[in-house]
Amino acid sequence: MKPFDYYEPTSIGEACSLLGELGPAASLLAGGTDLVVRMKRGVSEPVGVINLKTIPGSNEIALEGGNVRIGALTRLADLAVSPLIRAKLPALALGADSVGTPQIRNLATLGGNLCNASPCADTAPALLVSEASLQISGRQGTRQESIASFFLAPGKTTLSAGEIVTAIIVPVPSLLTVQTFIKLGPRKSGDISVVNTAVSLSFDGGRCARARIALGSVAPTPLRARETEAWIEGQEASSIDAAEAGRRAAEEVRPISDLRGSQEYRKEMVSVLTERALSSLLQKL
Ligand SMILES: Cc1cc2nc3c(=O)[nH]c(=O)nc-3n(C[C@H](O)[C@H](O)[C@H](O)COP(=O)(O)OP(=O)(O)OC[C@H]3O[C@@H](n4cnc5c(N)ncnc54)[C@H](O)[C@@H]3O)c2cc1C
């Protein structure tokens, strides 16, 4: 690993100023489970590393009005066991709990998982079905961006140079809502997803008022199966055909073949996982 200067800012303002001064030669460090691996391989060679974990309050989870506000530096291990997240956003708790191993989850942060912009990031589908947004600070001030438009390509987001994700804002569902997350990996734990899915269904008087299905590892960015969602909405819970929804969702993805699975296998698994997720939620009603 090449030598680098190391910084421990104590506020977002200080971190933004450092980023501005050092420019693209600097990297932000959260848990380091992606960045340090890249540095060790020589893929990233920053001249300066700015540790965000030293900023007080950057890892807090709080209910604010109708939203859950999750500090970007919240560790996935804390997210997975948070009573608030488990009660209000169970798909996110399951997604966080499925990342890597306990050692990885004890370091890795929610902000890092999103900013790394991997198509298989396990927290992204849950945030997509919950229609979360990101709070972003830069030298120009702060802005809020929907998670739906944040990912551009593998490893690429809409963050411009000098911007830092400070929090993830997730609206708490008001109607009767059930959610889940399922991950398929080669082994039970410690593996990157071959396919992952989060499903959220909200009901109003027995009818599905809002269906959200998000899928990872099946396109250059995590995506929503919008046509399948629209097909489910308006149906009575008892008449939703989970197998048909699975088949429809498989038509909406564009996976590649790689060492973890072929394109055909991934499409088939989208169908299976979507059906399984929907069936488990419909049984809970
Ligand atoms: C053995 C192993 C297993 C893994 N298994 C999984 C898995 O099953 N599922 C999965 O999804 N991932 C997995 N990962 C990848 C990784 O652990 C996650 O992506 C993790 O959540 C990254 O978070 P971090 O805090 O460690 O990010 P870091 O490595 O610190 O940062 C990642 C990137 O995001 C940038 N960044 C971080 N925070 C911010 C911020 N607040 N604002 C702007 N930019 C920021 C950094 O500059 C860097 O470019 C695995 C990694 C390893 C090494």
Side-chain angles (χ1 to χ4, degrees):
M1 206 189 280
K2 279 207 172 164
F4 55 87
D5 292 325
Y6 174 72
Y7 302 87
E8 291 193 343
T10 53
S11 69
I12 286 293
E14 192 189 340
C16 288
S17 302
L18 278 168
L19 261 186
E21 283 161 29
L22 297 167
S27 282
L28 295 170
L29 173 76
T33 62
D34 281 313
L35 180 68
V36 174
V37 173
R38 286 206 304 270
M39 288 170 69
K40 280 188 171 167
R41 288 185 185 149
V43 180
S44 289
E45 293 185 331
V47 296
V49 171
I50 304 168
N51 188 353
L52 298 175
K53 273 194 170 163
T54 51
I55 300 174
S58 58
N59 60 350
E60 284 168 7
I61 305 173
L63 194 56
E64 287 182 357
N67 297 316
V68 178
R69 184 183 193 281
I70 306 166
L73 276 292
T74 302
R75 297 180 319 152
L76 299 181
D78 295 328
L79 209 50
V81 298
S82 155
L84 179 61
I85 301 296
R86 287 166 72 114
K88 304 286 184 196
L89 306 167
L92 181 58
L94 291 168
D97 200 35
S98 79
V99 171
T101 57
Q103 293 90 332
I104 293 290
R105 294 193 291 277
N106 277 329
L107 286 169
T109 64
L110 182 59
N113 195 234
L114 301 176
C115 295
N116 195 49
S118 164
C120 53
D122 284 316
T123 62
L127 293 172
L128 277 167
V129 297
S130 297
E131 297 183 343
S133 54
L134 307 174
Q135 225 165 49
I136 297 166
S137 287
R139 289 209 292 177
Q140 271 31 284
T142 61
R143 66 184 180 93
Q144 200 149 320
E145 164 141 26
S146 162
I147 184 98
S149 55
F150 183 65
F151 303 112
L152 296 177
K156 201 163 166 29
T157 67
T158 60
L159 282 183
S160 6
E163 286 192 318
I164 299 174
V165 174
T166 54
I168 294 85
I169 312 294
V170 198
V172 175
S174 50
L175 297 167
L176 166 66
T177 297
V178 282
Q179 290 192 339
T180 194
F181 168 88
I182 306 181
K183 165 175 177 169
L184 175 73
R187 294 172 297 182
K188 274 204 167 151
S189 71
D191 266 320
I192 302 290
S193 289
V194 174
V195 173
N196 60 25
T197 184
V199 177
S200 178
L201 300 177
S202 302
F203 289 89
D204 193 2
R207 276 186 195 281
C208 180
R210 187 173 163 279
R212 295 289 180 266
I213 300 171
L215 296 147
S217 282
V218 290
T221 63
L223 54 77
R224 275 186 35 206
R226 291 177 187 267
E227 287 176 23
T228 310
E229 293 172 357
W231 178 77
I232 294 172
E233 284 175 358
Q235 294 195 47
E236 297 275 352
S238 56
S239 58
I240 296 171
D241 181 342
E244 174 60 19
R247 281 190 289 275
R248 285 172 180 256
E251 293 308 311
E252 295 194 57
V253 299
R254 308 166 263 134
I256 54 162
S257 296
D258 65 13
L259 59 102
R260 291 200 299 280
S262 69
Q263 191 178 34
E264 295 74 23
Y265 177 67
R266 283 195 157 101
K267 271 193 151 211
E268 184 59 28
M269 289 306 106
V270 165
S271 179
V272 170
L273 261 54
T274 305
E275 176 183 355
R276 207 173 280 171
L278 276 166
S279 301
S280 75
L281 292 180
L282 293 169
Q283 274 167 22
K284 280 190 190 167
L285 295 170

